[in-house]
Amino acid sequence: MLVIFRLIAAAAVALAVLTGGGGAFAGLGQPSHWQMGLQEPASPIMDDIVWFHDFLLWIIAAISSFVLLLLIIVVVRFNSRSNPTPSRTTHNTVLEILWTVIPVVILVVIAVPSFRLLFVQLTTPQADLTVKATGKQWYWTFTYPDNGAFEFDSLMLQENERLKDKADQPRLLAVDNEMVVPVNKVVRVHVTGADVIHSFAVPSFGVKIDAIPGRLNETWFKATREGMYYGQCSELCGKDHAFMPIAVRVVSEQAFTAWVAQAKQKYASDHGSVPTAFAAAPAAKIE
Ligand SMILES: [Cu+2]
């Protein structure tokens, strides 16, 4: 009896996830408690990724249910008690053609939106702005070549630096200097690594690309809503890999112009300098 109750509970959870219950738990720009789905999308690419993910989930659920049904039929109808003298049939042409053709059709149906998504992700449209993100052990450096080539380092806020009552300074994600971009503009991101391989990833934008020393990778996003969006280094890069978050603030175009004017002054002295002091800094203390 208990087993049946557990099965019913598991089915109810699966149904809730399938019918989009997961989406209700997802946060915008950062993870949320009890989150089950992907983070809320804030770019056309992430909209497509979420659609593709849900589409695949239905296909996977249908295939798994079908296989489970076949297994149950075999167990019940063809065990040695109910079927003491098994049939000796070995071939069935129609069945063999079907179980070859149907999976091929399913794979083609999956491949079409999958390749379309890959092409859209890898083809940068006419960019309004370029930002270079350099992964370093263990922080990010952002450069704005189109806006006067100023450059600044973005380090995670330690527990004692963080304003705990501020919702936009989440633990292990808030940084001292955020990357700022204008809303509804195509931002081209040039990504590279200064020491080892890192990975630039912001879930709500659907962006994830390796930061490889000696190589310039390119990705893009168009943020459709203003706000704070957090990501993390997504390639194991050393002991403080978990403590080099990416924080992107999406603002209006006017606010962006104002920020650029102010940032040019603020980071003027940083330009071209190599902040080796950070590389040799003691380990981040996380409580
Ligand atoms: Cu890293």
Side-chain angles (χ1 to χ4, degrees), residues 134-153:
T134 309
K136 298 176 180 175
Q137 281 177 320
W138 287 275
Y139 59 98
W140 292 90
T141 296
F142 295 107
T143 315
Y144 284 69
D146 297 345
N147 306 84
F150 62 85
E151 180 172 290
F152 59 89
D153 298 328

Side-chain angles (χ1 to χ4, degrees), residues 3-22:
V3 177
I4 292 172
F5 276 131
R6 280 186 182 158
L7 278 175
I8 292 170
V13 169
L15 194 72
V17 172
L18 278 175
T19 50

Side-chain angles (χ1 to χ4, degrees), residues 128-129 131 144 180-187 221-226 248-257 260:
D128 298 303
L129 171 78
V131 180
Y144 284 69
V180 180
V181 295
V183 71
N184 285 322
K185 296 280 179 198
V186 174
V187 181
F221 66 85
K222 186 168 107 177
T224 49
R225 274 190 278 176
E226 290 181 29
V248 185
R249 184 182 290 278
V250 178
V251 297
S252 67
E253 208 176 346
Q254 296 90 318
F256 178 73
T257 316
V260 165

Side-chain angles (χ1 to χ4, degrees), residues 25-244:
F25 299 120
L28 175 67
Q30 58 177 286
S32 53
H33 294 301
W34 296 99
Q35 181 183 328
M36 292 183 78
L38 299 164
Q39 281 184 28
E40 226 180 290
S43 81
I45 292 278
M46 193 56 193
D47 284 335
D48 288 359
I49 292 175
V50 169
W51 176 86
F52 188 53
H53 166 270
D54 293 349
F55 170 70
L56 284 184
L57 199 59
W58 282 110
I59 295 181
I60 293 165
I63 294 173
S64 307
S65 311
F66 178 64
V67 172
L68 181 66
L69 182 74
L70 292 183
L71 280 173
I72 292 171
I73 291 174
V74 168
V75 167
V76 174
R77 283 189 51 190
F78 299 101
N79 65 59
S80 61
R81 247 178 304 150
S82 358
N83 191 35
T85 43
S87 139
R88 297 210 159 258
T89 315
T90 53
H91 285 284
N92 183 317
T93 315
V94 176
L95 208 56
E96 282 165 20
I97 290 174
L98 280 182
W99 77 43
T100 309
V101 172
I102 293 174
V104 169
V105 171
I106 294 174
L107 288 179
V108 170
V109 166
I110 291 174
V112 171
S114 170
F115 280 112
R116 195 198 69 84
L117 189 53
L118 268 180
F119 279 118
V120 177
Q121 282 180 305
L122 294 174
T123 316
T124 311
Q126 184 65 40
D128 298 303
L129 171 78
T130 301
V131 180
K132 184 180 170 198
T134 309
K136 298 176 180 175
Q137 281 177 320
W138 287 275
Y139 59 98
W140 292 90
T141 296
F142 295 107
T143 315
Y144 284 69
D146 297 345
N147 306 84
F150 62 85
E151 180 172 290
F152 59 89
D153 298 328
S154 183
L155 280 91
M156 188 188 79
L157 290 183
Q158 299 297 316
E159 280 302 276
N160 54 354
E161 298 165 324
R162 202 165 61 90
L163 301 170
K164 290 196 177 78
D165 50 333
K166 265 185 88 176
D168 67 348
Q169 292 201 343
R171 183 171 174 269
L172 301 184
L173 290 175
V175 300
D176 54 358
N177 299 313
E178 294 143 359
M179 168 182 169
V180 180
V181 295
V183 71
N184 285 322
K185 296 280 179 198
V186 174
V187 181
R188 175 180 21 224
V189 192
H190 280 168
V191 181
T192 191
D195 33 44
V196 297
I197 303 178
H198 301 269
S199 177
F200 183 86
V202 184
S204 278
F205 297 158
V207 161
K208 178 177 280 179
I209 196 157
D210 274 359
I212 302 169
R215 184 168 148 176
L216 201 64
N217 271 345
E218 185 176 302
T219 186
W220 71 281
F221 66 85
K222 186 168 107 177
T224 49
R225 274 190 278 176
E226 290 181 29
M228 278 306 306
Y229 298 90
Y230 294 98
Q232 288 174 305
C233 176
S234 298
E235 180 67 66
L236 279 173
C237 61
K239 77 174 174 52
D240 283 353
H241 159 66
F243 310 121
M244 51 179 296

